[in-house]
Amino acid sequence: MEAEFTTGQTDPALALDVKRAQAETMLERLGSTLVTNAFVAASALFVSTIDRGLTFAAAAWLGAILLSLVLRIAMASVLRRWETIEHAPDQALHVMTVGALISGCAWATLPLAVDGFDAMGADSGLYLMMCGMATGAVLMGVGHSPISLAFALPPQIAVMVSLATNGGAGGWLMTINVVALTGVLVRSSRRSEEVFVGNVTGTLKATALADSLSSANADILRANYRLEVLASCDPLTGLANRAAFNAALHTGISEALAAGQQLALLILDLDRFKSINDTLGHSAGDTLLVEVSEKLRGVIGEQGTIARLGGDEFAIILGGADAPEAAREIAGRILERSRQPVMLQGQPTVVGTSIGFALFPQHADTAEDLFVSADMALYRAKDGGRGQWCEFQPAFRSQAERQHQIEQELADALATGEIEAWFQPQVDLPSEEITGFEALVRWHHPYLGPISPPEIVAAAQAVQLSDKLTARVAEDACRLLTRLPMLGLPQATVAINVSPREFDLYSVTDVLDRITQAHDIDPALFEIEITEEAILDTLVAGEQLKRIERSGYKLAVDDFGAGHSSLAYLVQLKVDRLKLDRRFVTGIQASRQNQEIVGAMVGLGRSLSMEVVVEGVEREEEAAALRNLGVGTAQGYFLGRPMPSERIAGWIESHRNLQQQRAVA
Ligand code: C2E
Ligand code: MG
Ligand code: MG
């Protein structure tokens, strides 16, 4: 509409609207026009009869006038009924013009209808009436000049002709005046129509502009609403997204504060979501996320706000007087529901959930702090074996602070050598010969004290320094390997540990190849210990293990028996060594069951050409029992504790002395 208006007067739609307004105005005024007409005609008849009485011609004249008026009323009602003004305003105007012309012509016959018409004498008042009617028609007909002129011109012309023919010299003078008056009437009729059309056009344009503005406004409001929905909604699950969650958390906290109530924030994380995505594909991952969000909706209902924060992380905000109890109860129900299998690619799959939650204001007094607290609780839930919920405890904060400090200082500690490898000897039980060493990472922090290897490994992962950590330990291992021939141990191996999750982070062989080549180390003397988890966990691990084998490093499976390694897979990977978990060794001399397990493992190792190594040998009796079971290599505090590399030469010497003393004895 607005575009059409910019084209101005020539716009046909606007022209039609103007015509409609003209016709409507003329039709509206028709009633009063016709009444005036009838009244003035009756008065004229009366004036004309004063001296001469009623003649047939005069009565017929009035009859003609009235007939014309009736005709115009009929025309008007037809126009209304057929809604001609709406559909064809031009035609309606034509019809009204014809009606006006008929009335005008009837009026024009007045001088003829009056017997012995005395133009300059008694009947001159009738001229006044005729001219007055014509002038009135022009005044009333501002909407459309042809209609008013169609009525006005016939009586004016009749007056001119009548005056010119009947009035002598004075009549001619009057005729000139009437001509001039008629000219003025025509001009003012035209001018009035122009003004009228101008006004109507302006009004219509303004109205259309207002309409288009209000429709544009409505469009903007609708678009805004759509944007708001998009901006606050996670497209996959339809749950609130992170932005909406942040807003809801702040609002929830203000409301809880005002009501003097608690607010619970739960954060959920799916167990092993990444491996589902990796192995079954992203569409299976999406299906899982949608299923989980449906389950959450089923459990929470209208009780709180559920959001997907990204990836496989969800959050729930619970308010109300009983928020803490509700949080515990809901966490339990969610875990219960998550134990029910989900169909992924036609397979029923169980995907566990870990939940952490914290309470406002009990555990934190800002939205940010509450989130951090709930996140710490989630970390605990995952660390505690997954598939559980954990409520925040203030002690978590100091532990997290410690962890944060460790993460912050790790890079420096690696660079300065504060982090280093210590070495624990491995000994052949029957001969007591030293067969190798295992490198174990050590960090004695200046004021936090000793940091445990799992803490160091986790911190390295968190700050993406896992490759640097492995490189550091591998460097120390290579230095030891270079020294060992000089210490009389040319065949001894050195093992390093690689944690399973590191396989997803960097190429282990690339890092090790670079370091072993720089130190000119035979890869057959360099061993990599991985825990069983790595073998099962991801496809990436499988690829990395193959590359380790291709590079010629020895491969050992650490803590064997603690997980669920598939033997078939181990064989396929050509694992060189199985390191039996410490649980089978502790107190073995008194446990028949452990003796049977270790005995069976030694037999299995022999038939699969895998060496079985035991770790955690703390006592002489354990070593003796293991020796009797045919175990070769062993490791443990009884044989030698982990030590810094500078103490190794001394330890080897004292070990040999001890060996000789035993041989002599
Ligand atoms: P692991 O590879 O099974 O290493 C053996 C662990 O048992 C070491 O603990 C060692 O000190 C301890 N140990 C040795 N003999 C005995 C014994 O007779 N009795 C007892 N109770 N313990 C014994 P540590 O050094 O605390 O290391 C713990 C774990 O941390 C290691 O277990 C290994 O999985 C991991 N780790 C150590 N260093 C590294 C590293 O550089 N990188 C990676 N990714 N993980 C490492
Ligand atoms: Mg190990
Ligand atoms: Mg171990």
Side-chain angles (χ1 to χ4, degrees), residues 113-268:
V114 174
D115 234 8
F117 188 82
D118 179 6
M120 297 299 286
D123 294 327
S124 56
L126 293 176
Y127 285 148
L128 189 66
M129 286 177 152
M130 289 171 77
C131 290
M133 277 306 293
T135 311
V138 169
L139 288 177
M140 289 297 280
V142 291
H144 190 59
S145 109
I147 295 181
S148 47
L149 293 180
F151 179 85
L153 289 181
Q156 291 288 96
I157 293 166
V159 169
M160 288 176 225
V161 173
S162 175
L163 278 171
T165 51
N166 301 320
W172 276 105
L173 192 64
M174 292 294 283
T175 303
I176 292 166
N177 278 294
V178 175
V179 169
L181 174 67
T182 308
V184 170
L185 280 183
V186 171
R187 264 201 65 194
S188 74
S189 171
R190 291 260 160 80
R191 183 78 197 109
S192 303
E193 186 185 0
E194 274 168 27
V195 171
F196 179 87
V197 169
N199 285 345
V200 169
T201 308
T203 310
L204 285 173
K205 276 184 177 176
T207 312
L209 195 63
D211 283 354
S212 82
L213 279 179
S214 87
S215 101
N217 195 33
D219 283 351
I220 289 169
L221 287 178
R222 269 195 300 275
N224 263 354
Y225 176 73
R226 275 199 299 273
L227 278 177
E228 247 171 54
V229 170
L230 275 180
S232 65
C233 190
D234 168 50
L236 178 67
T237 59
L239 298 175
N241 63 11
R242 190 176 272 274
F245 161 79
N246 284 337
L249 187 59
H250 281 95
T251 314
I253 282 182
S254 314
E255 285 171 4
L257 210 56
Q261 292 176 343
Q262 300 225 62
L263 179 110
L265 171 63
L266 293 85
I267 304 183
L268 289 74

Side-chain angles (χ1 to χ4, degrees), residues 298-311:
V299 173
I300 312 292
E302 298 297 308
Q303 241 182 308
T305 305
I306 317 170
R308 181 177 164 225
L309 304 180

Side-chain angles (χ1 to χ4, degrees), residues 21 92 110 121 129 187 287 306 381 499 528 596 618 626:
L110 180 58
M129 286 177 152
R187 264 201 65 194
T287 310
I306 317 170
S499 75
I528 298 163
E596 272 165 21
E618 291 183 350
L626 291 162

Side-chain angles (χ1 to χ4, degrees), residues 438 440 497 529 558 579 615:
E438 177 179 3
L440 296 161
N497 292 276
E529 292 186 9
D558 208 353
K579 290 188 80 177
E615 45 181 352

Side-chain angles (χ1 to χ4, degrees), residues 437 480-490 492-494 648 652:
F437 294 85
L480 176 61
L481 273 168
T482 322
R483 280 173 57 215
L484 284 177
M486 292 177 278
L487 297 170
L489 296 170
T493 57
V494 176
I648 286 178
I652 292 175

